[in-house]
Amino acid sequence: MRLKTFKIGGTHPPECKFSERAAIEELALPTRAVFPLGQSLGAPPVPVVQKGDAVKVGQMIAKGEAFISSNIHSSVSGKVVAIDDCIDASGYKRPAIIIEVEGDEWDASIDRSPDLKRTIHAEKEEIIAIIKEHGIVGMGGAAFPSHVKLMIPEGKKCEALIINAVECEPYLTSDHRLMLEKGEELLVGVKILMRAVEVKKAYIGIENNKPDAIAHLTELAKGYDGIEVVPLKVKYPQGAEKQLIQAIVNREVPCGKLPIEVGVVVVNVGTAVAVYEAVQKNKPLIQRVVTVTGKSLAKPSNFYVRIGTPTFMLIEAAGGLPDDYGKLVSGGPMMGKAVTSLDIPITKGTSGILLMTRKESKRIPVQNCIRCAKCTTICCMGLEPYLLSNLATCNDFEQLEGEGVMNCIECGSCQYICPSGRPLLDMIRTGKGQVGKIIKNRNVK
C-alpha cells in the first residue's frame, strides 16, 4: 500500500527516538510550582488568587477573560507565596503565580479513578464550555486555546476531524506513548471532539515508524464508529497542520487561512486525551506527558508531569546532566528553542526536553551561499528561504512580506539542509516578527 504524504518539499532527519520504549512514569511532586500566565496563544489570563491564599489541585488560579485566552489551574496543593515575574522558556521575565507545595489535596469534584468512561452525556455547547473552563489548549506545541478552535465560524462547516498523531519531530515520543498506554481514553476523546464539531468522520494520522501504535489504535477503533487510523509516510514536517491535511484528505489550505476554510479541524493526540479527562473526569489541564531525551542521557524517559514543575527535576529523574552536555532545548531539535536555565517550569505546551551534546550543539562555520537550491527544494510551503533570509538581513520588510514570509511555518528544514551552515531560519524568524508588527500596526490604522 502506498503511504500518504504531503506533496511539496520535506525531509527525513535522523529519528533518534531513544525513549520510544520507555513507558510513561509519574514524576514526583515539586516543592515549589511556577505557573507562567502566558501558557497559551492570546491574551494572558488574570490571576484570581492572591499571595497567602491556600489552593487545591485543580483549583482555578488565573482566568482567561479575552476571547483568545485560557484558564490556568493549580497542579499542586499549597500556598500562593508570590505573583511575580519569572524567567520562562523564551528567556524573558513574565508574570507568574508561585505556589509552595503542601501535601497533595485534590478538588473533590475531580474523578481520579482509573475507570474508563465511554458513555458521553455532554452535548456540543456543553463540551466546548467544559473545554474552555478546564483550560485545554493545543498540546503539540502551539498551545492555541482549544475551545476557540472548536467554535466553528458562522457560514463554515466542519466535514472532517483530523487527530495529529504524527510526532515527526526527532527525539520526541510523548504522543507515541500516549497512543500505546491511553488508547481508549484517546478514542473517547476523539468521539467527544467529533460531537463538538458535529462530524461523523475522524482520521488519526500516524507516521509509519510507529507500527505498534498503528496496530493498537486500528484494533481499538473497531469499537468506535467513524474513526479511521491512517498510516503516513515518514517525512518531516508532516505534523504541520497544512501538510497533514493535504496528506490525509488532499485539501490545500489557502495562504493566510485556517483549516476550517477547507472544512477541517486538527487536534493533537495529547489534546484529545486532555479533552477526555476534562469532559468525562472533570479534570483541568494540570498534567502532561513530557519526553526527556538526548544521545548521552543515561535514561531517556517519558514523564507524566504536573504543570509548573521545574525542568531540573525531569533531568535528574532521567539520570542527570551528561558529562558532554552542551545545550538544553525545550521541544525537539527542529522547532524547539534553546533555554538558559534548568529552573524553567513545564507548561501546557512543553512536549519535550532535549539535552544536546557539545558536538551536536556546535554550529558549523557560516560560509557563503553556494546556490545549491536545497533550501528551496525542501521547503514544504514553496518558499525561497535563501531569499527570505537575505531580505530579512537587509531589513527589506516590504519585499519580505511580498515574498510570503508570513506563510513560513518555521519548521527549520531549510537551515537543517543548508551545506553552508547559514542561519536561514534565525533570520527568517527575525524578519517574520518585524513584518508581523508592521501588518498589525497597519490593520489598527
Side-chain angles (χ1 to χ4, degrees):
M1 181 181 69
R2 185 177 180 182
L3 296 170
K4 294 184 175 183
T5 189
F6 57 96
K7 297 175 183 177
I8 301 175
T11 184
H12 186 190
E15 294 173 16
C16 301
K17 303 282 190 177
F18 305 124
S19 53
E20 64 182 348
R21 299 194 184 281
I24 298 170
E25 301 177 50
E26 186 153 359
L27 197 71
L29 286 173
T31 56
R32 171 178 284 206
V34 177
F35 302 87
L37 294 181
Q39 291 196 39
S40 67
L41 288 181
V46 178
V48 293
V49 292
Q50 298 178 341
K51 182 179 179 180
D53 285 354
V55 298
K56 296 180 181 180
V57 177
Q59 180 179 329
M60 186 188 297
I61 56 175
K63 185 174 180 60
E65 297 183 343
F67 176 65
I68 301 180
S69 186
S70 67
N71 299 333
I72 296 176
H73 301 75
S74 178
S75 65
V76 296
S77 63
K79 182 175 290 186
V80 177
V81 294
I83 300 176
D84 201 356
D85 288 346
C86 294
I87 295 176
D88 66 6
S90 68
Y92 294 97
K93 285 188 174 183
R94 312 281 191 193
I97 298 171
I98 305 167
I99 299 175
E100 289 283 358
V101 179
E102 300 173 355
D104 191 26
E105 185 180 357
W106 287 58
D107 187 298
S109 66
I110 299 173
D111 181 357
R112 300 180 64 190
S113 73
D115 302 333
L116 178 73
K117 298 180 74 171
R118 288 190 59 168
T119 305
I120 304 165
H121 298 290
E123 296 298 332
K124 174 184 174 180
E125 299 301 333
E126 185 183 358
I127 289 170
I128 295 174
I130 291 171
I131 289 171
K132 178 181 180 180
E133 178 70 17
H134 289 65
I136 311 300
V137 303
M139 296 172 69
F144 188 81
S146 297
H147 68 278
V148 178
K149 180 179 284 191
L150 299 176
M151 295 168 66
I152 309 302
E154 188 175 350
K156 306 294 181 184
K157 179 177 173 59
C158 182
E159 298 170 358
L161 173 70
I162 293 179
I163 302 300
N164 188 346
V166 175
E167 202 163 46
C168 60
E169 181 86 56
Y171 290 92
L172 304 185
T173 60
S174 56
D175 286 351
H176 188 176
R177 295 311 309 180
L178 269 176
M179 288 186 279
L180 293 176
E181 300 182 43
K182 291 186 176 289
E184 291 273 18
E185 291 89 337
L186 166 61
L187 292 177
V188 176
V190 174
K191 293 298 290 187
I192 294 170
L193 290 164
M194 290 171 68
R195 184 174 292 190
V197 294
E198 299 180 304
V199 296
K200 296 186 181 299
K201 189 66 179 179
Y203 303 92
I204 303 178
I206 310 176
E207 283 194 325
N208 207 39
N209 59 356
K210 306 173 187 65
D212 50 356
I214 292 172
H216 181 57
L217 290 187
T218 299
E219 183 62 30
L220 291 179
K222 292 177 181 177
Y224 296 84
D225 293 338
I227 300 178
E228 178 184 344
V229 176
V230 183
L232 301 169
K233 182 178 179 180
V234 180
K235 187 165 71 166
Y236 180 85
Q238 194 135 236
E241 272 190 340
K242 293 184 178 182
Q243 281 62 42
L244 185 58
I245 291 168
Q246 188 179 77
I248 293 181
V249 295
N250 196 28
R251 298 183 186 183
E252 188 169 339
V253 181
C255 292
K257 301 294 184 180
L258 298 172
I260 194 60
E261 290 291 327
V262 294
V264 177
V265 169
V266 182
V267 176
N268 174 262
V269 162
T271 308
V273 174
V275 165
Y276 162 80
E277 293 181 334
V279 176
Q280 302 294 81
K281 300 280 189 172
N282 197 39
K283 180 183 176 183
L285 181 46
I286 55 175
Q287 293 175 286
R288 68 157 298 146
V289 180
V290 180
T291 298
V292 184
T293 184
K295 289 182 178 178
S296 297
L297 194 64
K299 182 190 169 190
S301 304
N302 297 290
F303 294 118
Y304 195 40
V305 185
R306 304 282 182 103
I307 303 300
T309 301
T311 296
F312 71 79
M313 284 189 62
L314 286 77
I315 296 173
E316 288 176 358
L321 288 176
D323 292 336
D324 60 351
Y325 159 71
K327 182 185 289 186
L328 179 68
V329 176
S330 178
M334 299 296 284
M335 297 187 74
K337 296 183 179 180
V339 295
T340 57
S341 171
L342 301 182
D343 293 323
I344 299 298
I346 300 301
T347 64
K348 297 178 182 182
T350 308
S351 56
I353 299 295
L354 171 60
L355 283 80
M356 301 179 74
T357 65
R358 280 190 289 271
K359 182 179 179 180
E360 282 181 298
S361 58
K362 186 176 181 181
R363 296 190 178 191
I364 65 173
V366 177
Q367 302 176 54
N368 291 331
C369 175
I370 60 173
R371 304 296 191 268
C372 68
K374 286 185 176 181
C375 63
T376 301
T377 303
I378 208 172
C379 180
C380 63
M381 295 303 294
L383 303 173
E384 297 178 284
Y386 73 91
L387 175 60
L388 299 179
S389 175
N390 289 341
L391 292 172
T393 303
C394 298
N395 294 331
D396 191 344
F397 302 127
E398 183 177 350
Q399 189 175 348
L400 191 60
E401 181 182 354
E403 293 292 340
V405 71
M406 298 308 291
N407 295 323
C408 172
I409 63 171
E410 302 181 27
C411 69
S413 296
C414 56
Q415 190 159 308
Y416 165 76
I417 204 68
C418 180
S420 296
R422 300 190 65 75
L424 299 174
L425 177 59
D426 296 346
M427 296 310 303
I428 291 171
R429 269 182 177 156
T430 300
K432 185 179 174 183
Q434 291 300 317
V435 170
K437 291 178 182 178
I438 292 170
I439 293 173
K440 184 178 180 180
N441 292 335
R442 188 166 65 220
N443 290 339
V444 169
K445 293 177 183 178

